Amino acid sequence: MQDTTEADYTARLRAKQDVWWKRALHVQAPYQWNIRRQGLGRTLEIGCGIGRNLATLAAGSVGVDHNVESIEEARSRGYAALTVAEWEASDLRVPDAFDGFLVAHVIEHMDASQARAMMNDYLPYLRPGGRVLFVCPQERGYDSDPTHVEFVDGEALCSLAADVGLVPQRSYSFPFPRFTGKAFIYNEFCVVATKPLKVP
C-alpha cells in the first residue's frame, strides 16, 4: 500500500490531474460547480493534495495537507497551501476564522477514530453557522486507490458529522444517481453539515 505522505503519492495525483484528455474535456467542471454551489465562503480545505479544488474556492481560502511534496506542488500552481506543521504554527490558525471547510477524498484514507480526531482538531477554526462539505468516493472509486483504508458512504459521513458536533443538512450522490457508483469511478457521496450557532 502506498503512503499518502510520500512523494510518489504526489506524483500519482499530478499524473491523474494533468492527463491531456481531462484537460481537453474539462471533466472537473461539474465537480467545481458542485463545490461552488455550496456557498462555503472563505474555506479551509483539509487534505488539499496538490490544490485541485483550491482554484474553485473563494478568495482567502487555504489548503492544508500532510504531504510536503503535495503542498510544494500546490504552491507552485499559485495556491495558498500549508503543511500540517506550518498550519499549527500559522497566524491563520484563529478560532472561527473560516466560513467553510472542504474535506474531499480524505476520510476514506483513515479509520473512523482518526477521522473524528482530525475533525475535532480543525473544528475550532470554523465559525458558528459555517458549512462543511464532505466528499468520498463510491465503490468503483474506492477500489481504484490502494491507499484507501475504509469505505465511507453518506450515512457514515452523516454519523461522523454528528459525532463531532456538526448538524448534517443534506446527503446526496453526485454527479449521477447512487447505483452508478458501482461502475463509474468518479461518482461521489456528498454530505453538507453545519456548525451550530453559539448559544448566548
Side-chain angles (χ1 to χ4, degrees):
M1 180 180 290
Q2 279 184 310
D3 183 344
T4 59
T5 65
E6 298 298 326
D8 61 351
Y9 188 74
T10 300
R12 181 174 181 267
L13 293 178
R14 188 186 300 115
K16 286 179 66 177
Q17 181 172 326
D18 293 343
V19 65
W20 71 269
W21 63 266
K22 287 187 177 180
R23 287 184 281 112
L25 297 175
H26 196 24
V27 296
Q28 281 300 309
Y31 301 93
Q32 292 167 347
W33 171 81
N34 186 45
I35 292 170
R36 283 194 302 270
R37 69 175 173 153
Q38 308 306 328
L40 296 176
R42 180 175 183 250
T43 302
L44 180 66
E45 183 180 7
I46 303 166
C48 68
I50 62 175
R52 181 183 68 185
N53 294 317
L54 289 171
T56 304
L57 297 172
S61 296
V62 179
V64 178
D65 201 282
H66 67 174
N67 186 310
V68 174
E69 194 87 13
S70 291
I71 291 299
E72 290 176 357
E73 178 72 20
R75 287 174 179 160
S76 76
R77 296 176 183 225
Y79 305 127
L82 304 171
T83 66
V84 172
E86 289 169 338
W87 163 256
E88 290 174 351
S90 172
D91 57 7
L92 296 171
R93 198 167 172 252
V94 176
D96 303 344
F98 290 89
D99 302 311
F101 284 178
L102 175 61
V103 190
H105 293 271
V106 173
I107 302 300
E108 69 272 18
H109 289 277
M110 57 189 72
D111 64 32
S113 63
Q114 291 170 323
R116 285 192 297 271
M118 181 191 74
M119 291 306 302
N120 282 323
D121 283 346
Y122 285 101
L123 277 171
Y125 310 104
L126 179 67
R127 67 168 176 81
R131 295 160 68 83
V132 181
L133 174 61
F134 294 99
V135 181
C136 282
Q138 296 181 1
E139 287 87 352
R140 180 69 182 87
Y142 180 83
D143 290 341
S144 72
D145 189 334
T147 68
H148 289 163
V149 171
E150 191 165 304
F151 183 73
V152 183
D153 60 12
E155 183 178 353
L157 287 172
C158 287
S159 294
L160 168 63
D163 285 349
V164 298
L166 297 170
V167 181
Q169 301 290 337
R170 185 181 178 212
S171 178
Y172 61 98
S173 178
F174 187 85
F176 300 118
R178 172 67 183 91
F179 68 86
T180 316
K182 297 182 186 300
F184 180 53
I185 194 170
Y186 300 116
N187 230 46
E188 300 173 334
F189 297 109
C190 298
V191 166
V192 179
T194 56
K195 184 175 182 179
L197 295 172
K198 289 180 179 177
V199 178

